[in-house]
Amino acid sequence: MRPGAARLLLLPLLLLGAGEGGAPAACAAPLARPIVQARPEPPPRSCGGGRETLAFGRLLVDYGVETLRYGIGIVLIFLGLVVMALGYLLLLIEIFLCW
């Protein structure tokens, strides 16, 4: 193939691209709009963990008392007392940090 023949084959493609006035609309860059982002609010302080933990410990103790005759109740009572102690500790920490 002659070097001039390759140019003749590319000529229709060049004419199609030039006839549309540049890049097609689908390939055009979108309009640049400034992105306005609101500043996120700081997360609220979590100062209710001690009360929730204490309530869960009391719930475990109640279930333990109800299921004491099945043998698992003693484990639930012990676990509930440990969780209640942790809840009281968290309440003590929250008194100093969340006032």
Side-chain angles (χ1 to χ4, degrees):
M1 184 181 269
R2 295 184 320 199
R7 290 184 193 154
L8 287 176
L9 291 175
L10 292 176
L11 186 62
L13 295 176
L14 292 175
L15 291 176
L16 283 176
E20 294 178 3
C27 296
L31 296 175
R33 287 186 284 167
I35 298 174
V36 179
Q37 292 182 348
R39 186 173 178 181
E41 296 180 17
R45 295 179 76 175
S46 109
C47 292
R51 285 179 290 216
E52 294 172 2
T53 306
L54 187 60
F56 182 66
R58 288 180 181 156
L59 182 74
L60 282 176
V61 170
D62 288 340
Y63 284 151
V65 170
E66 290 177 9
T67 58
L68 194 57
R69 61 180 155 193
Y70 302 118
I72 191 72
I74 192 71
V75 175
L76 290 177
I77 290 173
F78 176 72
L79 185 62
L81 291 174
V82 170
V83 171
M84 283 177 60
L86 180 64
Y88 281 121
L89 181 66
L90 285 175
L91 279 174
L92 183 66
I93 291 171
E94 287 173 1
I95 287 173
F96 294 115
L97 297 180
C98 298
W99 50 297

